[in-house]
Structure formats: C-alpha cells, structure tokens
Amino acid sequence: MKDVVKEKLRKAKRRAIRVRAKISGTSARPRLSIKRSAKHLYAQLIDDVAGKTLAAASDTKLTAGKPLERAGEVGKALAEAGKKAGITLMVVDRGSYKFHGRVKALVDAAVEGGISITK
C-alpha cells in the first residue's frame, strides 16, 4: 500500500514540473500558483524573477458555502489584492491539478475580478 501512495506522489510531482517548466512569472505578469487540499484552497500571485509573492488569498477563514463557491470567493479576493498591487495580467500555474472544478472556479472568479490571463 505504501508503494501506491509513493507512486501517486511521484506522478503528481512530475505533472507539476511539466506544467511549471512552460511558464514563469514576472512583475508585469505574475504566476498564479494554486494549492488545493482536501479542505482548503490557496492561491498566490508570484514574481519569479524577484522571488516574491505579490498577492495571496485562501479560504481558511471561510466556513460557509460549498467548495466551488468558496473557490470563487478566493478568486475574487485574489483579484482585489492583485489590483491593489497593480496587477492586470497573470499566467496560470495549475500545478498537478486538472483545470476544472475548484481550480477553474478560482481562475474564472479572478478573471471576472479584472485580472486577465496570458500565455
């Protein structure tokens, strides 16, 4: 059983590296890094050149609502924090997760909040 868990983690790490190799964030176009756990969702706008987090949001303070609704709230909060930092563009780093469900809801809410996606 232990080998199965190690294999899942190894594959997830490979997927994340494959996605991450294709993108990089700058101060003008930071990388939106998403971490999804069983209970919570975390998002950061990162300038990889300077090695700094420009804005961040999570749903750890939110208790009400379904997971997709909480993801939308995180996206809105991240868009507000990003706008305060002067961010209008971002590139999405989905990590090892598929672009659907909570990840997609977060990104869609951030786009509705005023931060555009570029490649």
Side-chain angles (χ1 to χ4, degrees), residues 31-98:
R31 173 173 57 97
L32 169 61
S33 176
I34 299 170
K35 168 66 177 134
R36 190 188 76 188
S37 73
K39 288 186 177 183
H40 296 292
L41 191 64
Y42 309 89
Q44 299 180 57
L45 290 171
I46 302 170
D47 176 3
D48 290 319
V49 175
K52 292 186 178 183
T53 298
L54 305 174
S58 71
D59 69 345
T60 54
K61 305 284 187 207
L62 302 175
T63 57
K66 294 183 179 182
L68 284 176
E69 294 168 356
R70 288 199 315 262
E73 293 296 320
V74 172
K76 289 176 189 174
L78 186 71
E80 289 176 18
K83 281 192 156 190
K84 286 181 184 176
I87 298 166
T88 57
L89 296 173
M90 68 179 170
V91 61
V92 177
D93 176 9
R94 61 183 174 81
S96 63
Y97 315 115
K98 290 183 178 179

Side-chain angles (χ1 to χ4, degrees), residues 4-37:
V4 173
V5 174
K6 283 184 179 180
E7 183 66 14
K8 276 189 168 187
L9 291 174
R10 186 185 68 78
K11 286 182 177 182
K13 190 171 184 177
R14 286 186 68 201
R15 282 192 304 270
I17 289 170
R18 187 169 55 237
V19 169
R20 182 72 177 81
K22 298 174 186 174
I23 59 175
S24 179
T26 63
S27 60
R29 186 195 59 156
R31 173 173 57 97
L32 169 61
S33 176
I34 299 170
K35 168 66 177 134
R36 190 188 76 188
S37 73

